Amino acid sequence: MRFVIIGAGRVGLRTARVLRDEGHEVTLIEQDEMKVRRARDQEFPIIQGDGSREELLLEAGLSDADVFGALTSDLNANFTACMIANHYGCRTVMRIDEAYREGIYRKYAAEVDEVIYPERLGAIGAKNALLGGTIRAVADIAPHLQVVELTVTDAAPVNGYTISELQLPADATVLAFGKRDQDLGLPDEDLSLEDGDRLVVLADFAVLSEVRQLLVGESTAEAAANAGSGATSGTGGVH
């Protein structure tokens, strides 16, 4: 696939390296001279200039690109460039860097194919490292939704239940299930939940603490403190 990316900073250049390592073709656009030199040192094709200008985007091959990534720290430039890329039929991915608020997400998510917030993803990783144990956040996929991987414990109220007997809140659903030390797969309704088994659950933040109580066995206070409300906080629900 062919990618055009504006922004050759921390996020853009790392993304470009991953894509190139997987065999894709990547062209970068960047204004900062030092970042341009760094990208050239790594043998990336790069154009120096304002990535929100249509003529530069076309010079980078936008009209033939499959995907366009607006990965600068400038929200306005990213949005403008995505609108141009959309006109040329590209899939558009836009980075936001401001404090994560539901209003920002809703405003821009409707206009581009994908909105990413790198700091939010980093916070998920930090949270997992800090908490450890039986709960691992996988991703925030919308302002109110999180995918989490939970490990069943002896203290869990559902320990011994089968998947078919598991009754999660209405705003939560099991996406995958794995027995202890086995790979995750699609949930089998006849399998029983035992200590060490893992479930991947999609849940609204409003019911996440209840899900944690059921599957991990946390107390009400522990589950509420660890899950957090997450709906409009500056970390996008990662607590």
Side-chain angles (χ1 to χ4, degrees):
M1 295 178 67
R2 175 165 171 70
F3 295 80
V4 172
I5 293 175
I6 65 168
R10 173 178 53 85
V11 176
L13 192 56
R14 288 181 181 177
T15 303
R17 285 200 299 264
V18 171
L19 290 169
R20 186 174 64 180
D21 289 346
E22 293 180 357
H24 301 291
E25 183 180 349
V26 184
T27 300
L28 295 161
I29 302 176
E30 170 60 54
Q31 293 194 77
D32 184 83
E33 186 174 348
M34 183 177 296
K35 293 176 182 177
V36 170
R37 288 201 303 268
R38 184 169 56 202
R40 285 177 178 157
D41 288 343
Q42 298 182 33
E43 300 182 345
F44 280 102
I46 185 166
I47 297 169
Q48 185 169 5
D50 181 356
S52 64
R53 291 172 53 195
E54 185 173 4
E55 59 268 31
L56 283 186
L57 292 168
L58 292 175
E59 184 181 345
L62 181 68
S63 59
D64 298 319
D66 299 296
V67 184
F68 173 73
L71 305 182
T72 79
S73 58
D74 185 332
L75 180 61
N76 291 326
N78 287 348
F79 185 67
T80 299
C82 280
M83 294 303 95
I84 296 170
N86 183 64
H87 175 73
Y88 286 93
C90 289
R91 169 176 164 79
T92 55
V93 177
M94 188 181 78
R95 170 187 175 182
I96 60 174
D97 259 348
E98 297 185 21
Y100 183 72
R101 298 191 302 272
E102 183 177 357
I104 292 176
Y105 185 96
R106 290 187 182 278
K107 176 180 178 180
Y108 292 108
E111 302 291 340
V112 300
D113 292 304
E114 192 81 28
V115 172
I116 62 167
Y117 183 45
E119 285 74 11
R120 180 165 51 116
L121 299 177
I124 288 176
K127 171 186 174 180
N128 291 332
L130 290 166
L131 291 179
T134 57
I135 301 162
R136 186 172 71 91
V138 176
D140 290 352
I141 62 171
H144 293 285
L145 294 174
Q146 187 174 76
V147 177
V148 292
E149 180 184 302
L150 304 110
T151 302
V152 177
T153 69
D154 281 332
V158 297
N159 198 340
Y161 284 34
T162 64
I163 295 290
S164 62
E165 294 172 327
L166 180 61
Q167 295 185 0
L168 293 179
D171 292 328
T173 186
V174 176
L175 301 178
F177 173 74
K179 298 297 291 181
R180 176 193 287 269
D181 300 326
Q182 294 183 15
D183 292 336
L184 291 167
L186 295 176
D188 185 329
E189 291 188 351
D190 295 328
L191 290 175
S192 61
L193 299 170
E194 300 171 338
D195 184 30
D197 293 348
R198 292 168 296 138
L199 295 101
V200 176
V201 176
L202 171 66
D204 189 288
F205 281 109
V207 300
L208 192 52
S209 63
E210 186 177 346
V211 171
R212 295 168 70 113
Q213 292 176 64
L214 288 170
L215 298 181
V216 179
E218 290 182 334
S219 69
T220 302
E222 288 173 334
N226 289 331
S229 60
T232 57
S233 73
T235 56
V238 180
H239 296 280

